Every structure is written in C-alpha cells, then in structure tokens.
C-alpha cells in the first residue's frame, strides 16, 4: 500500500506561481513512476507531468511545457510540481499518482492516488 497526500493548491492570479507537493508513505520503494494529473469540472483526468524514481525520465504535457517543472526528493518521499505563468485554463483539481511500471499518460494505469488539491487561476 502507498498513501499519497497533495498540498500547495490555492487561488492565484493569471501569471502567478504555485508549488504543489505530493508526500508519499508506505511501500514507496515498490513504486517507480509518479505523475501529476489534473481534472477540471466536466472533463476527464489529464496527464500533466511524470517522473521516474531516479529522475532520469521526465515527461510533460504539451500544454504545460516551459511553464511547469516536476521534481522529486526521494529522501523526503516527496514529489513537487512548480507551476509558473499560470493561466485560467490551468484551473483544476490536481492529483498525484504512482505506479510500479514506467511513466504513462493514461490515468487508469496508476495504482494509487492522492485526494487532490484545488488550483484556481483567476483572469
């Protein structure tokens, strides 16, 4: 079992920044890839960014490339998402997930999820 807890969401104006955190506990050594997804009202959960355990592979959705940065600190069992130049279309609930296999953009392939943190970007 792995438990994930997201934090760092909030309300920010367009152009602003936020840093999300995802703290993992439990059998974290069993899991390899971690990812950030987001879900806006009425929309499906979509991939934002993913990172492997060693940080050697990182992927971003085209919509966030150049604005968001994913990272992880294995000593703290925590993953981060630095979000800069935020836009109103970034408004969503942000979730972190983990899986034993490699990074994938498909949410149903992730085994564990956090409860989500709301990000709201005002125009």
């Amino acid at each position: 079992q792995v438990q994930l807890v997201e934090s760092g969401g909030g309300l920010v104006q367009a152009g602003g920044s936020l840093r999300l955190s995802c703290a993992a506990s439990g059998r974290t050594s069993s899991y390899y890839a971690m990812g950030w997804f987001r879900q806006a009202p009425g929309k499906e959960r979509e991939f934002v960014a993913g990172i492997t355990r060693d940080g050697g592979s990182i992927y971003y959705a085209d919509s966030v490339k150049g604005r968001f940065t994913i990272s992880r600190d294995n000593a703290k069992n925590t993953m981060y998402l630095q979000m800069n130049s935020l836009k109103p279309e970034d408004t969503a609930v942000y979730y972190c997930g983990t899986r034993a296999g490699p990074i994938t953009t498909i949410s149903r392939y992730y085994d564990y999820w956090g409860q989500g943190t709301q990000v709201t970007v005002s125009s």
Side-chain angles (χ1 to χ4, degrees):
Q1 289 278 355
V2 177
Q3 294 78 43
L4 302 174
V5 179
E6 302 96 335
S7 61
L11 173 64
V12 63
Q13 289 188 331
S17 298
L18 283 174
R19 188 195 195 202
L20 305 184
S21 299
C22 172
S25 60
R27 298 186 63 181
T28 57
S29 61
S30 301
Y31 287 81
Y32 181 65
M34 294 188 75
W36 286 101
F37 286 74
R38 66 187 181 188
Q39 189 165 17
K43 295 187 176 182
E44 293 187 351
R45 191 169 296 191
E46 66 172 358
F47 175 80
V48 175
I51 187 169
T52 52
R53 173 180 300 281
D54 61 2
S57 293
I58 291 176
Y59 296 94
Y60 295 98
D62 288 342
S63 59
V64 307
K65 280 181 183 176
R67 301 188 298 122
F68 291 10
T69 302
I70 189 172
S71 62
R72 64 190 293 172
D73 183 339
N74 289 334
K76 296 181 179 180
N77 285 329
T78 302
M79 177 178 66
Y80 304 97
L81 186 68
Q82 178 66 43
M83 306 186 295
N84 299 328
S85 301
L86 282 161
K87 304 175 181 180
E89 51 263 44
D90 295 317
T91 295
V93 177
Y94 283 70
Y95 298 90
C96 63
T98 189
R99 65 187 304 263
I103 298 169
T104 176
T105 62
I106 303 172
S107 60
R108 67 176 182 272
Y109 292 158
Y110 284 74
D111 301 308
Y112 294 99
W113 293 95
Q115 82 290 349
T117 185
Q118 176 71 48
V119 171
T120 303
V121 184
S122 63
S123 58

